[in-house]
Amino acid sequence: MSTSTPPKILINAPVFFSTALITIALVLFVSFFQEPANLLFSGTLSWISTQLGWFYIIAVAGFLIFILILAVSRYGKVKLGNDHSRPDFTNLSWFAMLFSAGMGIGLMFFGVAEPVMHYVSPPVGDAETAEAARQAMRITFFHWGLHAWAIYAIVAMSLAYFSFRHGMPMTIRSSLYPILGERIHGPIGHAVDTFAVLGTLFGVATSLGFGVMQINAGLNYLFDVPVSATTQVILIAVITAIATGSVALGLDGGIRRLSILNMLLAGALLAFVLVAGPTVFLLQTLVQNTGMYISNIFEMTFNLYAYEPTDWVGGWTLFYWGWWIAWAPFVGMFIAMVSKGRTIREFVLGVLLVPTGFTFMWMTFFGGSALNMIMIQGIGELATAVSADTSVALFQFLEHLPLSSITAMVATLLVITFFVTSADSGSLVVDRLTSGGKTNSPTWQRIFWAVIQGILAASLLVTGGLAALQTATIASALPFAIIMILMAWGLIRSLRIDAAKHSSLASPRLSNSHMSWKERLTTLVSLPSKREVLDYIEKTVKPALTEVKDELIKQGVDAHVKTAEDGRVWIEVRHGDQIDFFYSARPHAYEPAALVMRDTQEALMKERQYYRIEVHLGEGGQDYDIMGWPKETILNDVLEQYSRHVHFLNQVVAP
């Protein structure tokens, strides 16, 4: 048996080299010109916050509205894949990977810190009051709720739809094909993917920066490891090196297993806080916080504090929206890769509701417990410690619960595993974007991008800390937010074409009406063997398709008949720039129905396995059997399906 050797290098040169050069140039700039870099970061953040904050707010609101309308519309039944495709992963594995890729490190870093910081320093109103506590949880839910996952969902859905349903490379540019056409393969497409890669690198670098700061704080709490930039750079290097092991194992072997481990550890820590903390208070506030979020979501979505000018929006809401948008190519592609076979409605409900529900529990149990400690138990030093250094918030909080050393160890381990999955998943996505959507690139390319991510995170962390990370995230998100709007436009245009095609195929099928009723009854109760089915395909179906092909060629149409080792045969009719026609007859195995083999033992039923010849079009299986049909009936069925396809093409190109 021969085995194919993976290529030593597999890149899309314009995207790969432009991204690498821009990233390396930025690393050198912030390393050797720290003061000008800091001035540039602060000026950029201030300008974007004051001049373009409205754009981020409108864009993110539009993404959420768009994705919800799509789910409840007629397009909700469309599959991210062929009509007969099934999900590759179980719901548990799918939810675990959604959670780990989406915002794992962020939850660990901000779960305690953000509610406490809003409580101590609210955007409006008096600090450290019951109203400030309610506002703190409402704002935290807003930043970590449906809006974030709607951003991810648009990118993920577009990538999965165009890749799995239309066979295009899984790159951002593919989503713009309905708008740009073949121009996506030129400079415009290269620029789109380059912006996506840069956004991913900065978004992941921000998360890695938060993660390493928290790991440093945890090691300081556990083992008195000094908190310093040097320590954090060493930690980035060590954990990035660990991530290469997961890179080598790949998506199913490495990331999936680590994601499930993350989910189990996070669930255990969450359950511990619920039990060890003020349990009844937390359950009450979870219900109240969720209700406040739902009742105020519209007002919060469009609130820019225009009548109460404040820098708070730029430091919080705009940073989060920029962070989620910058992460969207990374998380979106990762979610797309694990979401094949799900309908749009199932996808939206899963991506929006499941992670959001877990996030709300996390923020309530951790943040609510911290607020309870400060407000009711009188542990004011917790608020002081969080205000002084947000990276120690989680460990200062755990110190006031039982088994603090053990839970701090678990929390540190959880941050490390989130760090590894983020670095690995990020390098996987960046590698795919810079290789033109190829999936068989050599391992060294992913390792290269994992190292680049680590170097970028270390450079920004050393030169400007959180301010540099925030600025890089918000700035890199600006061009990609525009690309996301175009992606949504391209998706809806393609879905309309898809719906038109399904409508043209929905008319009554010709079926085997040319057969007598006795012949039809015999076909219904017969259990043809594989050999009989293959013989029928060879002697009846293939000649019928060949006759159609020959006649089309005479009419000047490009047509071909092909076969495969499993016995299927198909005809392709090519239409140049328009969608090609595809009609395939495939053998498919079934076990005998109970009404036919009523008294048959299970083992015998397997022996009596029978076959059908099922018709597949370009959209997937059509769920009908042509075994036993006369040749003339098969010819008419092919022509009937082709006439619908031509009708569909006329609808699409009609003015």
Side-chain angles (χ1 to χ4, degrees):
M1 180 183 296
S2 62
T3 58
S4 59
T5 303
K8 294 182 179 180
I9 184 169
L10 188 63
I11 62 173
N12 182 359
V15 178
F16 184 95
F17 288 114
S18 61
T19 303
L21 289 174
I22 292 172
T23 306
I24 293 172
L26 179 63
V27 169
L28 294 175
F29 174 67
V30 300
S31 299
F32 293 101
F33 303 96
Q34 293 190 12
E35 186 173 342
N38 287 332
L39 290 174
L40 177 64
F41 289 149
S42 59
T44 302
L45 181 61
S46 175
W47 183 81
I48 291 177
S49 300
T50 56
Q51 302 299 321
L52 295 176
W54 63 269
F55 172 74
Y56 280 92
I57 297 298
I58 289 293
V60 173
F63 296 150
L64 177 59
I65 294 171
F66 175 82
I67 210 73
L68 290 175
I69 292 176
L70 210 57
V72 300
S73 71
R74 58 175 176 162
Y75 304 127
K77 297 180 180 179
V78 175
K79 279 194 174 182
L80 302 178
N82 291 329
D83 290 339
H84 61 278
S85 59
R86 296 290 182 268
D88 291 335
F89 298 96
T90 64
N91 286 337
L92 177 61
S93 295
W94 187 50
F95 295 149
M97 287 188 282
L98 293 180
F99 172 76
S100 296
M103 48 187 61
I105 289 179
L107 290 180
M108 298 296 294
F109 192 91
F110 287 104
V112 173
E114 182 168 351
V116 172
M117 293 176 74
H118 293 326
Y119 172 73
V120 173
S121 181
V124 294
D126 297 328
E128 301 185 31
T129 62
E131 177 55 34
R134 284 192 290 269
Q135 184 180 196
M137 294 307 304
R138 186 168 64 246
I139 292 171
T140 301
F141 273 33
F142 175 57
H143 288 158
W144 293 83
L146 297 176
H147 293 75
W149 289 96
I151 292 170
Y152 295 160
I154 282 185
V155 176
M157 184 187 303
S158 297
L159 291 173
Y161 175 81
F162 286 102
S163 178
F164 298 136
R165 193 166 183 87
H166 293 286
M168 302 185 71
M170 190 174 283
T171 57
I172 302 299
R173 71 175 76 191
S174 296
S175 304
L176 304 184
Y177 186 84
I179 301 172
L180 300 176
E182 294 299 321
R183 285 176 293 173
I184 66 169
H185 302 300
I188 297 177
H190 298 327
V192 166
D193 283 346
T194 299
F195 282 129
V197 174
L198 290 173
T200 298
L201 288 173
F202 286 120
V204 174
T206 301
S207 296
L208 300 186
F210 286 139
V212 79
M213 291 170 64
Q214 197 165 35
I215 293 170
N216 195 177
L219 295 177
N220 175 261
Y221 177 83
L222 293 168
F223 308 113
D224 292 324
V225 174
V227 176
S228 66
T230 302
T231 302
Q232 291 166 7
V233 170
I234 293 172
L235 286 172
I236 288 178
V238 171
I239 300 176
T240 300
I242 295 173
T244 59
S246 182
V247 167
L249 290 173
L251 175 64
D252 190 68
I255 301 175
R256 181 180 63 84
R257 293 174 183 173
L258 274 177
S259 298
I260 293 176
L261 174 62
N262 288 345
M263 197 72 171
L264 294 175
L265 288 176
L269 191 60
L270 185 70
F272 170 80
V273 172
L274 174 63
V275 174
T279 305
V280 175
F281 172 81
L282 295 179
L283 295 175
Q284 290 174 334
T285 53
L286 176 61
V287 175
Q288 183 170 335
N289 294 340
T290 304
M292 286 191 302
Y293 171 76
I294 294 172
S295 61
N296 290 277
I297 187 171
F298 193 83
E299 177 187 353
M300 292 187 295
T301 295
F302 298 98
N303 188 5
L304 276 166
Y305 297 95
Y307 298 101
E308 300 150 320
T310 174
D311 294 334
W312 183 91
V313 174
W316 284 103
T317 302
L318 294 187
F319 162 66
Y320 275 122
W321 287 181
W323 194 10
W324 304 145
I325 292 172
W327 259 48
F330 156 47
V331 181
M333 183 172 289
F334 184 77
I335 293 175
M337 287 190 290
V338 300
S339 299
K340 181 180 180 181
R342 299 185 184 274
T343 65
I344 286 179
R345 184 170 296 122
E346 178 187 7
F347 174 86
V348 171
L349 291 176
V351 172
L352 286 190
L353 299 184
V354 175
T356 298
F358 189 93
T359 300
F360 284 0
M361 286 193 294
W362 186 278
M363 290 300 187
T364 296
F365 294 171
F366 281 81
S369 295
L371 292 178
N372 181 274
M373 290 177 181
I374 297 169
M375 296 172 56
I376 299 175
Q377 301 178 38
I379 307 176
E381 60 268 24
L382 177 58
T384 304
V386 172
S387 299
D389 185 359
T390 53
S391 64
V392 304
L394 178 61
F395 302 101
Q396 290 288 339
F397 163 73
L398 293 174
E399 194 172 281
H400 298 285
L401 294 176
L403 306 174
S404 58
S405 297
I406 296 175
T407 54
M409 182 75 75
V410 172
T412 304
L413 177 62
L414 192 53
V415 177
I416 291 173
T417 56
F418 277 134
F419 191 120
V420 172
T421 53
S422 295
D424 187 8
S425 304
S427 63
L428 175 69
V429 168
V430 170
D431 177 54
R432 180 166 290 193
L433 286 172
T434 55
S435 62
K438 303 296 190 301
T439 59
N440 61 335
S441 59
T443 303
W444 75 262
Q445 289 181 203
R446 274 186 281 163
I447 295 175
F448 169 80
W449 288 114
V451 172
I452 289 292
Q453 285 172 170
I455 294 175
L456 182 61
S459 301
L460 292 173
L461 197 60
V462 169
T463 56
L466 289 178
L469 293 170
Q470 288 180 329
T471 303
T473 299
I474 294 176
S476 64
L478 181 60
F480 195 71
I482 299 172
I483 293 173
M484 285 184 62
I485 294 173
L486 296 177
M487 292 176 73
W489 181 19
L491 178 62
I492 197 65
R493 287 188 65 173
S494 187
L495 283 170
R496 285 174 178 168
I497 294 175
D498 217 335
K501 187 165 190 178
H502 272 269
S503 176
S504 68
L505 296 175
S507 55
R509 194 170 61 242
L510 176 68
S511 187
N512 49 1
S513 55
H514 291 184
M515 302 169 64
S516 69
W517 71 269
K518 291 184 179 180
E519 290 174 324
R520 295 180 64 184
L521 181 59
T522 300
T523 300
L524 287 173
V525 300
S526 66
L527 301 174
S529 66
K530 183 176 183 180
R531 183 70 265 161
E532 290 173 320
V533 162
L534 293 178
D535 286 344
Y536 185 80
I537 290 176
E538 183 64 28
K539 295 177 181 178
T540 305
V541 180
K542 185 178 178 181
L545 298 183
T546 302
E547 284 190 29
V548 175
K549 181 260 297 183
D550 293 341
E551 188 61 32
L552 286 169
I553 291 176
K554 289 180 182 178
Q555 301 296 328
V557 179
D558 186 10
H560 304 267
V561 171
K562 299 181 180 180
T563 59
E565 293 182 359
D566 62 0
R568 58 194 158 116
V569 60
W570 68 93
I571 183 172
E572 294 178 14
V573 184
R574 297 172 183 170
H575 290 275
D577 294 336
Q578 299 184 45
I579 300 173
D580 297 335
F581 174 71
F582 177 93
Y583 183 104
S584 171
R586 304 186 182 186
H588 196 287
Y590 288 90
E591 291 183 2
L595 63 90
V596 179
M597 304 288 290
R598 182 174 301 173
D599 300 322
T600 306
Q601 299 294 325
E602 182 177 353
L604 183 57
M605 288 180 69
K606 290 184 178 180
E607 291 179 9
R608 292 296 304 271
Q609 194 176 55
Y610 73 99
Y611 281 75
R612 286 166 37 120
I613 304 177
E614 297 187 348
V615 171
H616 284 240
L617 303 178
E619 298 72 40
Q622 300 303 298
D623 296 322
Y624 67 95
D625 177 20
I626 62 172
M627 177 62 187
W629 285 22
K631 181 179 177 181
E632 190 69 23
T633 304
I634 295 174
L635 287 167
N636 285 317
D637 188 59
V638 176
L639 294 180
E640 181 70 18
Q641 296 288 10
Y642 183 58
S643 69
R644 294 171 190 168
H645 183 81
V646 172
H647 176 64
F648 154 71
L649 293 181
N650 292 335
Q651 284 184 315
V652 172
V653 300

